[in-house]
Amino acid sequence: MYVRTPTLTPLTIDKRFLFVVTGLVTTLLLTGIVPLVAGAQTADTTISSSIGSTISLLTSNGTVNIDATPTGTGVQTIASDTVTVSTNDAGGYTLKLNEAGASSALTHNTDTIPAVSGSQASPAAETVNTWGYRVDGVGGFGAGPTSSGSNQAIGAVKFAAVPAAASPDTLKTTATTAANDVTTVWYGVAVDTSTPSGTYTNDVTYTATAN
Amino acid sequence: MRFFQRSSRNIIIFLLAVLSTCCIIPPQSFADTSGQAITASPAVTQIAVDPGAATTNKLDIVNSGTIAYKVAVSVSPYRVVGVDYDPQFTQLPGTVDPSKWVTLSQTNASAPPHAVLTVNYSVTVPKNTAPGGYYAVIFAETSPTATGGGVIAHNRVGNILYITVRGQVKKGGALTVPRLPAFDVQSTLPMSLTVSNTGGVHYLSTATFTVKNRLTGKTVFRASYDRYILPQTKRLITSSWTPAEPFGIYTISRSAIIVGDTKSAPTQTIVYMKPWFFVAVCIIVVVLLALLIRRAMYHARQRR
């Protein structure tokens, strides 16, 4: 019976190969890629990121022009301001409106156009030589829709006086994040020829805070 | 060798491309919002400080619009009224005014378009201040230049400061839920719960609403809301769900995390119908009743 004996050839390692492998292993050990102590090691890592909240308020241009050319019986001009709020606060935002100064009247030097007698809860139609604001669908204003007009006959659209700084009116409250959420605020003035001519202004403040 | 030369050339080209891209895109880009725009970042700040100690922080004010304006920075008290949390910026008589603890690095500045103004502030809590929650708001307000007659709009945004004065303070609260109707005919299902804070410091509550289809057992709606609950207040948290199906029987679960503990209200089962489906069911019932009555009358006449 013939048995084939395996022939053992001597193992020869190229010196350059050995040099490269030794270098690689040393590098891996030094950089910590291969753990010095063998064994399966796992670790859970929690990725945590705290995102801060921001709030933005944008209005059309800073001044809402409600110019009027009065007649003996009186005219009314209505114009709008677009108030846009954005916030990433999960609770949403609250938008309020109040007088920036002490006076609630449109003022030109010593001449004034007083605010309408109505409030947000109980607004009233403008009478000659009064001004006010309204937001469709808020408080007692009614659904509207309000439309702008210049020097038109005094209508039955209801307005409210802009409240003092200590007791602002809430225009909108939301309960979630908002991206360019728009509120249209209407301003109206009704005047007759008894009002002295001039440039009348009143400063109001829109306040947006996170909820 | 040629391979390494080619690789290194590719890496250099890649790095150059990345660098040129970084140069093209500015580090902070602004949406060019037309108008008078002001942003406060952050809108809410949590501060914890020991009695008699001080801490510093900052508020960034961004003119994200196209109109230059002057900015006035001020501090006011902050509190809420009612379960709807209507914010008030006035001090309640007889209470501490924490807005006086806040010192601003600047109160007036000019803000050209796209400018970022950083207002540093410190909060110094007087000694002997009782531990608990105190609240104030830093306002940044635009002062526009009038262009003609009319209404001059000042835009004001707030950064609410939730100040915790460290120390032993009572914490507590409760969950209350209104009973839902057993039968609901609406296009959406409104749900609500009220979380109260009976302690002396605010806490963050997470309210969760879950709706399950009683017939299939599947969860059809789940929503969670994080809300701060101020001391000695109750906050109403609402949610709503619009079912896709015209009819269903659902179980509604409401829970809230109150001072770290999850409190759950008993689940309620409701029968839901969309209004049009309810009308259709009513018409069918009326028609069937009419037919039955007619038939009964017919049989009665036959018997006579």
Tab-separated table of all heavy atoms in Angstrom, chain B residues 249-270:
chain	number	residue	atom	x	y	z
B	249	ILE	N	-66.228	53.628	17.410
B	249	ILE	CA	-66.287	53.579	18.878
B	249	ILE	C	-64.839	53.648	19.357
B	249	ILE	O	-64.004	52.813	18.974
B	249	ILE	CB	-66.987	52.290	19.382
B	249	ILE	CG1	-68.417	52.224	18.804
B	249	ILE	CG2	-67.038	52.256	20.902
B	249	ILE	CD1	-69.113	50.896	19.037
B	250	TYR	N	-64.549	54.652	20.151
B	250	TYR	CA	-63.155	54.906	20.527
B	250	TYR	C	-63.000	54.986	22.047
B	250	TYR	O	-63.912	55.412	22.764
B	250	TYR	CB	-62.672	56.225	19.924
B	250	TYR	CG	-62.778	56.271	18.411
B	250	TYR	CD1	-63.770	57.022	17.798
B	250	TYR	CD2	-61.888	55.573	17.608
B	250	TYR	CE1	-63.879	57.063	16.417
B	250	TYR	CE2	-61.984	55.607	16.226
B	250	TYR	CZ	-62.988	56.357	15.642
B	250	TYR	OH	-63.086	56.391	14.275
B	251	THR	N	-61.808	54.605	22.502
B	251	THR	CA	-61.452	54.841	23.908
B	251	THR	C	-60.397	55.944	23.928
B	251	THR	O	-59.437	55.920	23.147
B	251	THR	CB	-60.889	53.575	24.584
B	251	THR	OG1	-59.829	53.060	23.794
B	251	THR	CG2	-61.951	52.531	24.776
B	252	ILE	N	-60.616	56.897	24.799
B	252	ILE	CA	-59.728	58.058	24.870
B	252	ILE	C	-58.995	58.054	26.212
B	252	ILE	O	-59.621	57.985	27.269
B	252	ILE	CB	-60.531	59.364	24.678
B	252	ILE	CG1	-61.096	59.371	23.246
B	252	ILE	CG2	-59.671	60.594	24.924
B	252	ILE	CD1	-62.032	60.494	22.941
B	253	SER	N	-57.659	58.130	26.120
B	253	SER	CA	-56.824	58.172	27.324
B	253	SER	C	-56.139	59.527	27.396
B	253	SER	O	-55.661	60.040	26.386
B	253	SER	CB	-55.754	57.081	27.279
B	253	SER	OG	-56.342	55.842	27.005
B	254	ARG	N	-56.107	60.083	28.583
B	254	ARG	CA	-55.443	61.369	28.792
B	254	ARG	C	-54.518	61.259	30.007
B	254	ARG	O	-54.938	60.760	31.058
B	254	ARG	CB	-56.479	62.478	29.015
B	254	ARG	CG	-57.269	62.820	27.768
B	254	ARG	CD	-58.461	63.687	28.071
B	254	ARG	NE	-59.543	62.927	28.665
B	254	ARG	CZ	-60.726	63.434	28.998
B	254	ARG	NH1	-60.958	64.716	28.802
B	254	ARG	NH2	-61.660	62.691	29.526
B	255	SER	N	-53.294	61.709	29.828
B	255	SER	CA	-52.339	61.648	30.935
B	255	SER	C	-51.421	62.865	30.888
B	255	SER	O	-51.333	63.552	29.866
B	255	SER	CB	-51.512	60.364	30.852
B	255	SER	OG	-50.706	60.392	29.692
B	256	ALA	N	-50.759	63.118	31.998
B	256	ALA	CA	-49.810	64.236	32.050
B	256	ALA	C	-48.721	63.916	33.061
B	256	ALA	O	-48.989	63.273	34.088
B	256	ALA	CB	-50.525	65.526	32.434
B	257	ILE	N	-47.526	64.353	32.736
B	257	ILE	CA	-46.420	64.200	33.690
B	257	ILE	C	-46.450	65.421	34.605
B	257	ILE	O	-46.345	66.560	34.150
B	257	ILE	CB	-45.066	64.073	32.960
B	257	ILE	CG1	-45.061	62.828	32.071
B	257	ILE	CG2	-43.916	64.026	33.954
B	257	ILE	CD1	-43.871	62.715	31.152
B	258	ILE	N	-46.629	65.135	35.883
B	258	ILE	CA	-46.737	66.217	36.873
B	258	ILE	C	-45.626	66.051	37.904
B	258	ILE	O	-45.593	65.044	38.622
B	258	ILE	CB	-48.140	66.207	37.522
B	258	ILE	CG1	-49.184	66.553	36.453
B	258	ILE	CG2	-48.212	67.174	38.694
B	258	ILE	CD1	-50.592	66.331	36.855
B	259	VAL	N	-44.724	66.994	37.908
B	259	VAL	CA	-43.537	66.968	38.781
B	259	VAL	C	-42.863	65.590	38.707
B	259	VAL	O	-42.576	64.957	39.728
B	259	VAL	CB	-43.881	67.361	40.241
B	259	VAL	CG1	-42.618	67.776	40.976
B	259	VAL	CG2	-44.876	68.490	40.306
B	260	GLY	N	-42.666	65.125	37.508
B	260	GLY	CA	-41.934	63.875	37.300
B	260	GLY	C	-42.778	62.619	37.338
B	260	GLY	O	-42.312	61.555	36.928
B	261	ASP	N	-43.999	62.696	37.838
B	261	ASP	CA	-44.860	61.511	37.913
B	261	ASP	C	-45.918	61.554	36.810
B	261	ASP	O	-46.546	62.593	36.596
B	261	ASP	CB	-45.593	61.449	39.266
B	261	ASP	CG	-44.636	61.148	40.393
B	261	ASP	OD1	-43.588	60.525	40.116
B	261	ASP	OD2	-44.935	61.550	41.536
B	262	THR	N	-46.105	60.408	36.168
B	262	THR	CA	-47.150	60.342	35.147
B	262	THR	C	-48.487	60.042	35.818
B	262	THR	O	-48.617	59.041	36.533
B	262	THR	CB	-46.826	59.246	34.114
B	262	THR	OG1	-45.568	59.545	33.526
B	262	THR	CG2	-47.877	59.195	33.021
B	263	LYS	N	-49.431	60.947	35.594
B	263	LYS	CA	-50.770	60.741	36.153
B	263	LYS	C	-51.748	60.570	34.994
B	263	LYS	O	-51.719	61.353	34.039
B	263	LYS	CB	-51.173	61.920	37.030
B	263	LYS	CG	-50.251	62.056	38.231
B	263	LYS	CD	-50.762	62.973	39.280
B	263	LYS	CE	-49.807	62.969	40.475
B	263	LYS	NZ	-50.207	63.891	41.529
B	264	SER	N	-52.584	59.544	35.099
B	264	SER	CA	-53.511	59.234	34.015
B	264	SER	C	-54.948	59.349	34.496
B	264	SER	O	-55.271	58.952	35.630
B	264	SER	CB	-53.271	57.816	33.502
B	264	SER	OG	-51.935	57.695	33.057
B	265	ALA	N	-55.777	59.862	33.611
B	265	ALA	CA	-57.210	59.910	33.900
B	265	ALA	C	-57.826	58.596	33.420
B	265	ALA	O	-57.283	57.954	32.516
B	265	ALA	CB	-57.836	61.085	33.180
B	266	PRO	N	-58.947	58.182	34.016
B	266	PRO	CA	-59.604	56.960	33.535
B	266	PRO	C	-59.979	57.098	32.054
B	266	PRO	O	-60.398	58.177	31.614
B	266	PRO	CB	-60.862	56.867	34.411
B	266	PRO	CG	-60.596	57.744	35.574
B	266	PRO	CD	-59.675	58.816	35.118
B	267	THR	N	-59.808	56.010	31.331
B	267	THR	CA	-60.146	56.064	29.899
B	267	THR	C	-61.667	56.174	29.737
B	267	THR	O	-62.432	55.693	30.573
B	267	THR	CB	-59.650	54.812	29.156
B	267	THR	OG1	-60.198	53.673	29.791
B	267	THR	CG2	-58.144	54.729	29.140
B	268	GLN	N	-62.046	56.802	28.659
B	268	GLN	CA	-63.475	56.975	28.373
B	268	GLN	C	-63.781	56.427	26.996
B	268	GLN	O	-62.965	56.561	26.068
B	268	GLN	CB	-63.832	58.457	28.409
B	268	GLN	CG	-64.218	58.954	29.789
B	268	GLN	CD	-64.823	60.333	29.688
B	268	GLN	OE1	-64.158	61.302	29.991
B	268	GLN	NE2	-66.053	60.417	29.252
B	269	THR	N	-64.948	55.829	26.868
B	269	THR	CA	-65.368	55.312	25.570
B	269	THR	C	-66.427	56.236	24.993
B	269	THR	O	-67.360	56.632	25.705
B	269	THR	CB	-65.941	53.886	25.724
B	269	THR	OG1	-64.920	53.054	26.276
B	269	THR	CG2	-66.371	53.319	24.376
B	270	ILE	N	-66.256	56.563	23.738
B	270	ILE	CA	-67.271	57.409	23.092
B	270	ILE	C	-67.682	56.802	21.746
B	270	ILE	O	-66.879	56.143	21.079
B	270	ILE	CB	-66.794	58.868	22.886
B	270	ILE	CG1	-65.650	58.939	21.870
B	270	ILE	CG2	-66.372	59.511	24.175
B	270	ILE	CD1	-65.523	60.331	21.304
